[in-house]
Amino acid sequence: MIKDQSFISETSGARLDAALFSRYSTSSKAFIREAIEAGDILVNSRRASKGLKLKGGEKITVNLLLEANDNVVQPNAEITPKCVFEDDALLAFDKAPSMPVQPLSCREMTTLMNGVVAEYPECQALGDAPLMAGALHRIDADTSGLVLVARSATAFEALRAQFSAQTVEKTYLALVEGNVTVGGTLENDLIHDPTLPFCRMIDSRHNRLTRAEVEKCRALHAVTRFTPIAHTMEENEERTLLEVTIYTGVTHQIRAQLALAGMHIINDRLYGAFAVENMRGHALHALAARFRHPISGAEMKIETPFPDWARL
């Protein structure tokens, strides 16, 4: 962290953010932009925009600027994650809906992993993605349920190898609109819709994009198995509870594939479902995972409780 420093600009015509990055290469362009916008960078004692063209000779004051190695998950004891399994190698949590798994920046303090590193500080430095802090996978913020976290470097590498080999069996519960009577297997090559400013997955073969637009996208193969296990009615609307199994981990995989097959997850408005008043998140829950213990090698299955909407 860089604090309470100042220097005189020497180059005429350089942008303020570029001049700062040239001098403080241990920081990042994102942190420099945030510091300028927050007023932590002053030019001749005044706030300035990141695109300010320097004339040379200005006094640039750095009150606070984060460096790349500061970008780790910060502990927040006010977040109390619900632990469903714990041993010396592994932790498992039942994440609440509407809570991200990990922060996008060290400034973010309200994610599951902020609570995890507060209670289990040994996780903070694990893995090669600092803001994951040992978490082996993600689930969407509005999806509830199981998140696995390693407690040691050895456990992390062993578990990551299983995820990479697609040998971790993940089971979900999904409550969908309509009456689904038979199960099946869904198989799609999914891509991010490049026409949207946010993430939404579409089928690479069946869409309104041009061939050139599709070719610029990276197609991700996804396979999802589903089985109907219960049915209910809600204000004359039929609903079906599905048990869903996946081995791959494509972004929005279950949400997108079920929607493409005409089975919309309750309250998943991004993928075409009707809005449900006063419902947090959508009706998708990471129920369980089956894998081998990273140290003993024993086969194990960790489960979370059914959410309220799944107790039909």
Side-chain angles (χ1 to χ4, degrees):
M1 183 180 298
I2 300 161
K3 297 178 66 176
D4 302 326
Q5 294 190 18
S6 63
F7 65 95
I8 303 299
S9 66
E10 298 177 350
T11 305
S12 177
R15 282 170 52 116
L16 173 60
D17 53 0
L20 286 162
F21 188 65
S22 176
R23 188 174 185 90
Y24 299 112
S25 59
T26 55
S27 185
S28 71
K29 294 179 180 178
F31 282 151
I32 289 170
R33 181 178 65 252
E34 291 175 3
I36 293 171
E37 291 174 351
D40 291 326
I41 307 290
L42 302 177
V43 178
N44 291 334
S45 301
R46 296 182 179 181
R47 296 181 66 148
S49 68
K50 63 180 180 180
L52 174 70
K53 291 291 183 67
L54 300 173
K55 297 178 181 179
E58 295 95 339
K59 180 181 180 182
I60 300 175
T61 302
V62 179
N63 292 323
L64 177 65
L65 177 61
L66 295 177
E67 297 177 273
N69 59 11
D70 295 318
N71 201 31
V72 297
V73 180
Q74 299 301 314
N76 182 1
E78 294 183 4
I79 304 295
T80 54
K82 182 180 179 182
C83 187
V84 295
F85 178 86
E86 175 181 352
D87 68 9
D88 291 341
L90 178 65
L91 299 164
F93 299 94
D94 184 7
K95 185 188 77 68
S98 302
M99 173 183 283
V101 170
Q102 50 133 168
L104 299 178
S105 163
C106 59
R107 298 181 188 275
E108 194 174 349
M109 297 293 291
T110 57
T111 73
L112 173 70
M113 297 314 297
N114 292 110
V116 171
V117 300
E119 191 168 348
Y120 304 93
E122 67 272 21
C123 297
Q124 187 182 48
L126 291 179
D128 51 10
L131 294 174
M132 286 289 281
L136 276 303
H137 60 116
R138 301 180 184 91
I139 58 176
D140 298 333
D142 283 340
T143 299
S144 59
L146 185 68
V147 176
L148 301 175
V149 180
R151 295 188 75 177
S152 71
T154 300
F156 180 86
E157 292 301 329
L159 285 165
R160 183 166 66 171
Q162 292 183 58
F163 274 94
S164 297
Q166 298 183 356
T167 57
V168 179
E169 179 187 87
K170 292 161 283 185
T171 303
Y172 286 72
L173 295 172
L175 186 63
V176 300
E177 298 172 350
N179 182 23
V180 181
T181 57
V182 295
T185 299
L186 305 173
E187 195 162 353
N188 302 84
D189 289 328
L190 300 175
I191 59 174
H192 291 83
D193 188 338
T195 67
L196 299 175
F198 50 85
C199 179
R200 188 175 187 274
M201 305 300 285
I202 57 176
D203 189 287
S204 66
R205 295 184 179 88
H206 305 285
N207 56 66
R208 297 181 179 180
L209 302 177
T210 66
R211 179 179 295 182
E213 288 174 322
V214 171
E215 289 175 350
K216 291 179 181 179
C217 300
R218 180 189 174 201
L220 302 168
H221 192 65
V223 180
T224 296
R225 297 203 310 263
F226 67 95
T227 304
I229 58 175
H231 297 84
T232 187
M233 294 285 291
E234 183 71 26
E235 297 181 353
N236 297 320
E237 178 189 327
E238 291 182 302
R239 296 178 174 181
T240 304
L241 183 64
L242 303 178
E243 182 179 272
V244 180
T245 303
I246 62 173
Y247 290 88
T248 51
V250 176
T251 301
H252 295 186
Q253 173 175 334
I254 297 172
R255 300 166 61 191
Q257 288 191 286
L258 289 179
L260 286 167
M263 296 174 284
H264 301 279
I265 294 173
I266 298 297
N267 205 43
D268 191 358
R269 288 169 285 178
L270 180 64
Y271 287 96
F274 292 107
V276 177
E277 191 174 358
N278 298 323
M279 181 176 182
R280 292 177 62 207
H282 46 237
L284 181 63
H285 178 78
L287 179 67
R290 189 188 301 273
F291 55 95
R292 293 198 173 275
H293 190 275
I295 304 302
S296 71
E299 185 172 314
M300 61 187 304
K301 183 179 182 180
I302 298 178
E303 297 183 90
T304 58
F306 275 36
D308 290 342
W309 51 257
R311 297 188 180 101
L312 304 183

